[in-house]
Amino acid sequence: MTHLNLSTKFNERLFDMDFMNFGHSISLIHHHLEEVEDELTGWLKQPLNITAEEVDEIHNLSDEIKENADVLLVIGIGGSYLGAKAVQEALAPNFTKKENGIEVLFVGHNLSGSYMKRLVESLHNRDFYVNVISKSGTTLETSIAFRVLRHYSIERYGQNAKNRIIVTTDSEKGLLKEIALAQGYRMLDIPSNIGGRYSLLTPVGLLPISVAGINITEILRGACQAVIDLNEEDLEKNEAYRYAVLRYELYSRGYQVELLASFEPCLSYIHEWWKQLFGESEGKEKKGLFPASVNYSTDLHSLGQYVQEGNPLLFETFLSFKHLSEDCHLPFNELDDDQLNYLSHRSFNDINHISEQGTVLAHFEGGVPIIQIELERLDAFHIGYLLYFFMKACAISAYLQDVNPFDQPGVEAYKTKIRDLLNEKTIVS
Ligand code: PA5
């Protein structure tokens, strides 16, 4: 049974693409990934390696938080928050009160004073726990948000504050680990050999996702299936490797932007997570596709114009799910004064699906190369599968471009500038 299907719509100029030209490079990268031990490759087998005790610990902690709090505050940025946010948006229903979980709010992913002030104000009548997440333990945004919320927790809970703070950080080192040990906060480990944007399937993502009421056992089951399916060395049989090769080939032929597109608004944070994963992994040494995204049909009424007729620098990757659990039917109207009865045998999902097909055809005819990724069902199993698929494809893509998928030397430049400015005595205007 295939859990994920990859297909393409390319015009004649791209029809000559021969996958077999990449067989040898893929095979070398495949073995490199399997064998390197000095790199941050722990995520590759993480879904298989995580133990039942570790999952139980997360479940127990999640039950405790749900029983004693109205809100979980997750403090983190980049890879330390986007995965949990993406899964929560994709799987926890809109508008309705969560059935098996509580509200999870994200903080420390920006430096806005107004966001912070309003967040603290919103907590006044509600009980909360804090989960601060940082692999390095020294990230500016996370650290200052944690300072504010530590103070506020003490104001609210006094001596008991420390029982409501959970620290998720590097298993071996770091300032946050030292603080947690000194203050007696409970700790969850991020394996040292897993970097931020590949850490979703560790406690970084799993605790907040579980507190939001999503079944983490199913997420891990989907990811485990992906580990097995996507460890196939033969390029023709490995969808992650095929996706990596397709995007590399398009990049080599001059396309500069990959636009991830989907027709379900709940996937918009999967887009954000994907952008961070590919942008930080590939964008270095003056190389790399620029990862961008659109939410259709909303963006058909804005960026759709550019995609159809603008500068032909992009290709589109459509992400979709065959079966969705919820739908809304269009009622029949005797008067038909809005002239919509021709659609009354259809549901929103039907119309959405047909809109997707129409958009793919129009953009293809407008000269945009199309990749389509389709999964069976929008559920925890397939989301786990998809996220692992993207991580594996991303690492392979970066190696095809001959860059290291696991470092981010470029982010040091702005960090140094900010630090220098913050250390200056005079106020910079
Ligand atoms: O992927 C990465 O490594 C980064 O995006 C980090 O996740 C981000 O900078 C946050 O780092 P930390 O978890 O150390 O606070």
Side-chain angles (χ1 to χ4, degrees), residues 77-80 133-137 139 142 195-197 276 280 408 415:
I77 193 166
S80 288
I133 307 175
S134 176
K135 176 91 195 297
S136 63
T139 302
T142 312
R197 56 192 174 277
Q276 193 237 353
E280 242 179 18
Q408 53 281 331
K415 282 188 185 166

Side-chain angles (χ1 to χ4, degrees), residues 375-390:
L375 289 101
E376 243 348 85
R377 232 164 248 293
L378 181 45
D379 60 14
F381 175 89
H382 289 90
I383 288 289
Y385 195 100
L386 175 71
L387 297 172
Y388 186 88
F389 162 84
F390 275 140

Side-chain angles (χ1 to χ4, degrees), residues 108-161:
H109 56 293
N110 60 53
L111 290 167
S112 160
S114 140
Y115 186 97
M116 196 68 208
K117 182 168 183 289
R118 286 171 188 217
L119 177 102
V120 173
E121 279 168 5
S122 80
L123 296 172
H124 287 337
N125 299 318
R126 300 196 288 172
D127 280 314
F128 63 90
Y129 266 56
V130 171
N131 181 201
V132 56
I133 307 175
S134 176
K135 176 91 195 297
S136 63
T138 49
T139 302
L140 177 69
E141 290 89 337
T142 312
S143 306
I144 64 173
F146 184 41
R147 178 182 277 211
V148 170
L149 291 167
R150 263 165 98 188
H151 277 241
Y152 183 64
S153 303
I154 293 168
E155 236 174 72
R156 284 282 302 275
Y157 299 109
Q159 285 287 318
N160 275 333

